[in-house]
Amino acid sequence: MNGSTFGRETISHSHGRFILSLLGGSILAGLPLPALAQETQDGADAPATSEAQAPRQDVIRTISVRGAQRLEPQTILSYINLRPGQVYTAAAADQALKDLGATELFSSFSIRNENGDVIIDLTENPVINRIILEGNKRLKNDKILPEIKLAPRQIFTRSKVRADVARIIELYKRQGRFAATVEPQTVQLSQNRVDLVFEINEGPKSKVRQINIIGNEKFSDGDLRDQMVTKQTGFLSFLKGNTSYDPDKLAFDQQKLREFYLTEGYADFRVVSAVAELTPDKEDFIITYVVEEGERYKFGDVKVESQIRDFDSEGLTKSLTINKGDWYNAKTIDDAEEGLTELAGTFGYAFADVRSQVRRNPETKTMDITLVISEAPRVYVERVDVNGNTLTQDKVVRREMRLVEGDAFNTLQVKRSSNRIASLRYFQDNFEIEQKEGSEPDRIVLEANVEEQPTGELQLSAGFSSLERFLLAASIKQRNFRGRGQTVGASVQWSRYSRSFNLSFSDPYVFDRNLSLGVDVYRRDFNSFNFIGSNRQTTYEQSTTGASLRLGFPVTEYIYAIGSYTLNFDDVSVDESTYFLDLDGDGIPTCEPLLAGRYLCDALGKRTSSILGMTLNYSTLNNSYHPSRGNQVTLTAEYAGLGGSVKFARVRGSASKFWPVLNNFIFSLRAEGGYIKGFGSTNGVDDVRLTDRFQLGEPEFRGFDIRGVGPRVLRQAYDTTTGEYITERDRLIGDDALGGKAYYLGHAELEIPLGSGAKELGLRPSVFVDVGALFNVERPQTTTLTEDLKIYQQTYNGVTSQTTNATAPDGTANIPLRTIPAFRELFLGDTAKPRVTVGIGVNWNSPFGPFRIDFARAITKQPGDDTKTFTFNVGTQF
C-alpha cells in the first residue's frame, strides 16, 4: 500500500483508494492554507498568526465554532478558557490552541479574531472504522490485536498510533525480530471515517552470531557457553535451539554463569558487564561478557543449629553430606536447606524456616556454614480446597489426597498427593498443591488449584509398519467420563494381516470404594506369517473372541493388586488348499505334516480358555508415560483350567528403574521374563499349544525380526545340481517359529537430551543394549523328503481335494498342481544362551504422528535366529 510519511502534507491514491498519511503534519480537507490563522498538531505548540498576535486589546464579543460534526460547539468551548467579555490576547489564544490539542480530538484547528468575533476553525479527527494488519506471518492477528490500544469506533489520533506501532515492534523484538518495521497508513472513508492499516515488515529473526567471554582463566569459553541458555548459531544449531537473541535470556545467562562458578568454589565471581551489539545489517547479535573469577574457596566448619526441640543439632550435622575441606559448592548448601526443610515438614513443621549463615575467611580461603532451623509450631491441616474444576467432581480430586482435614502436616504426603493428582492426566502439567497459612499459626490450608484439560480422544489414524504394512485404526475414548474419573472407549484396527475390535470400561473407584473395576470385550483375527526371501507367507490364522473382567485394590500406597478373569474362544486354522492332502484317497483331506509341519497340524482346532489371573504392581515412577525417575515391578500369575479345554499355568514378571544422570540424560534398566507350564496328556506333543507359547523378536527385541529369536524349524530344499541342501536364509522354503515356554529379556537404554529446538520437534534419541532368549519347547518331529513330491488335484464322488496319487480310486487321472522339492527340516534355537544387540533409536512426535526408528546389530546370536538391522513404525492422525 502506498502512502506518505509523517512530515509531508500530501494525498496519494493507491488501488482506487484515497490514502491520507499518518506520519506527517495536519490532515486538512477543503481549507486553503492562506486562510489558516493558527494551527497545531496533536497538542504541539503552534505560533499564533498575525491576527492573533496583533497587540490589540479587543474584547471578545462572540465565539463561534466551524467544522464540528460529531461534537457540539458548547462541548468544544468547554475545552478552552476563552469567554465573551474577556480581552482577546495572543497568550490567551495560544493557551486555547494548546487546550484543543490536548484533547487529541482534532486533526487541525485555528483561531482568528475579527474585531471581537472569535472564530475557531477545526477538523475533527476521524473515527476508526476497522484495524487491518498486513504482512504479519510469524505473529498472527490474535497475538497482535490484543496489544493494540486503538479499536474500531474510537477516535483516531497520531499519538495513539505511534504508541501502537511501538507495541507491535516490541512484540517482534520478543520474538527475536529486531529488524521488524511497522508503517501505519489510513484509508479515508465517507462520514469522516478511516480504516487504519498497519503494514508490517517482519524481517529475519535476529540470531546470536557470537558469544565472547573476557576474563575467564579457569574455564574455557566452550565450558561457559555450555552453561548458557542462549547458543551461538552454527552447524546443527537447529538441534540446539535458543539461538535467537532475547534480552531476558541475557540476564538469565548471567545468573547461570554465577551459579556455575558458585558450584565450583568461586564465591567471589561476578559478571562485570554483558553487552549485546546488533550487527549493522540488524540480522545478528554479538554478545560480550566481561567476568571476574576471583579466588576459589573450600568448606570450613559446617554445622546445624536447630531451634526446634524435636531435632538434635549434632545428629543433623552428622547427617549432612557437606564435608570440611571439600570445594565450596552453593548447590550443596541449597540442597541441604531443602532437605532440612522437607525433614521438618515430614514431622509437621510446615512453616519451618531454614537459612544458611556464611562466614567467609579470606586468609584461609574457607567458608564456614551454619544452617539454622528457626523455631516453628507443629502444623495441622485446617482445610483442603479444590478450585477450578468445572467438569471433574470434587471427590475425584479429593480421593487422591493423602492428607485430610485434621491430619498432621507432612510434606511427603503433600508431594505424593500432587503426583497422584497429576497422574490422572485430567489437569495441567506440573500440577502442585499450594500451601497457605490457616486461621491460626498452627493451621495450614492445602489448595488444589486445577486447570482442566480435554480428556476426550477421537482418533482416526493411518500408518505404515514394517510388520503390518498399511494399517487403519479408529478409536474413541473418554478418560474422565461424566467427571467421575471413569474411562470408556471403543477401538477398531484393520491391516492386511490383522483385525481387531475392542470395547472397554474402567472405574478406579467403583461405588466410591477403593476398588477398581475394568471390563473388556474384544474380537481379534490374526494371521501368523514368515518371510521366505522377500515373500510373505501366511502359516496359520487365529481368531479369538473373548471378554476380560478385572478387579483391583491397593495393598499399600505403592503396591496395587489386580485380579482378573478371561474367557477366550479360539479357532486356529490353515489354508486347506495349501496344507491339506487326501493321502488315503477317501475324499477327506487332512493337515499334512509334509506341508505344514507336525507342530502346526497339532495346533489346529477350536478350544476354550478360561483363565484366572492375579497381578501385583509396585510403582514409584514419577510419570507413567515418559518416566525419568522411579521404579516399577510387576508380577503376574495366570491359571487356565477353570473350565474350558486348555489347561496351563503361566507366570510373568518385569522390573524397571529410571533415573536422571549426566545433566538431563535419562538412563533406564528394564528386565522381564516368563514361564508357562501345560497340564494334561501330551501324547508326544508339547503340553503347551503353539498359540499359547511366548514369542520374542521385533519390536520388543530390537535387532531381530518378528519372532526371530528362539526355537524354530527351517526347511531347506535339496539342490540336485550341487547335491547339497540350500542353507541361505532367503532361499529357504520354510521358516517356522515355534515359540517357547520360557523367556527373558533385558534392556539398558540411555536417552540423550537435545536442545529446545529438537525438543519442540519432539525428537528423543537413545542408545541401547538388549539381551534375551526364548527357549524350552518339546522337540518336534521333523521330516526329510528325499525326492520331489508331486501334488495333484483329485475329484472323486463330487469332492475336490489334493493328493499325492496320480489317479483317483476310480482310475481317473488326477490334475497335476505343483511339486514339492526334496527337503530336510532342521530344529534350531532352543537354548537359553543370551542373544545381545546394540543400537541407536529415535522417537519423533512428527506432524504425521508418532514415529520410531531403530538401527540395531546383533552382537551374539544362536543358529536359526533371524536378525534385522533397521525397523521403523509410523502413524498419522487426521
Side-chain angles (χ1 to χ4, degrees), residues 391 426 453-458 475-490 504-506:
L391 171 66
Y426 302 160
Q453 304 294 319
T455 55
E457 301 174 5
L458 175 62
S475 65
I476 183 171
K477 179 187 287 187
Q478 174 54 257
R479 293 183 286 105
N480 190 14
F481 184 59
R482 298 187 300 165
R484 297 175 175 267
Q486 299 168 336
T487 300
V488 294
S504 63
F505 170 82
S506 64

Side-chain angles (χ1 to χ4, degrees), residues 95-224:
Q95 184 59 47
L97 290 173
K98 292 178 180 179
D99 293 340
L100 289 174
T103 65
E104 294 191 339
L105 296 174
F106 313 104
S107 60
S108 66
F109 43 88
S110 66
I111 300 177
R112 67 176 183 268
N113 177 22
E114 295 181 354
N115 298 323
D117 295 328
V118 176
I119 301 172
I120 303 175
D121 291 305
L122 51 81
T123 302
E124 293 180 357
N125 273 333
V127 174
I128 297 174
N129 177 56
R130 58 177 178 162
I131 295 177
I132 303 171
L133 302 176
E134 293 183 353
N136 56 311
K137 297 180 180 179
R138 301 295 180 178
L139 283 178
K140 301 303 181 182
N141 289 9
D142 60 347
K143 300 294 184 183
I144 298 178
L145 290 176
E147 298 294 327
I148 295 177
K149 301 304 180 184
L150 286 172
R153 295 184 295 278
Q154 288 187 0
I155 302 299
F156 168 88
T157 66
R158 287 187 295 277
S159 62
K160 291 182 179 179
V161 171
R162 293 189 187 100
D164 284 340
V165 167
R167 291 188 184 97
I168 295 173
I169 291 177
E170 182 61 29
L171 285 177
Y172 278 97
K173 285 183 177 180
R174 294 177 192 170
Q175 298 288 323
R177 298 182 184 276
F178 285 80
T181 59
V182 180
E183 184 78 13
Q185 304 286 350
T186 59
V187 181
Q188 188 69 39
L189 305 174
S190 61
Q191 300 177 350
N192 199 21
R193 296 175 301 124
V194 293
D195 284 343
L196 177 57
V197 182
F198 291 101
E199 294 183 349
I200 301 173
N201 180 9
E202 296 181 316
K205 203 166 188 179
S206 301
K207 303 290 186 179
V208 176
R209 180 181 300 177
Q210 189 173 347
I211 299 177
N212 300 320
I213 305 174
I214 301 173
N216 54 311
E217 297 178 356
K218 305 299 182 182
F219 300 98
S220 67
D221 289 3
D223 291 336
L224 298 184

Side-chain angles (χ1 to χ4, degrees), residues 750-767:
L750 182 66
E751 186 174 307
I752 303 170
L754 297 177
S756 60
K759 283 185 178 180
E760 291 175 359
L761 292 175
L763 291 173
R764 292 190 290 115
S766 62
V767 294

Side-chain angles (χ1 to χ4, degrees), residues 710-759:
R712 62 200 320 104
V713 172
L714 302 182
R715 183 170 289 190
Q716 300 174 344
Y718 181 75
D719 189 339
T720 57
T721 303
T722 62
E724 296 180 355
Y725 290 98
I726 301 173
T727 59
E728 291 86 350
R729 195 169 203 105
D730 59 354
R731 298 179 63 187
L732 295 175
I733 61 173
D735 184 356
D736 297 317
L738 305 185
K741 293 187 289 187
Y743 84 99
Y744 64 86
L745 181 62
H747 310 274
E749 190 159 0
L750 182 66
E751 186 174 307
I752 303 170
L754 297 177
S756 60
K759 283 185 178 180

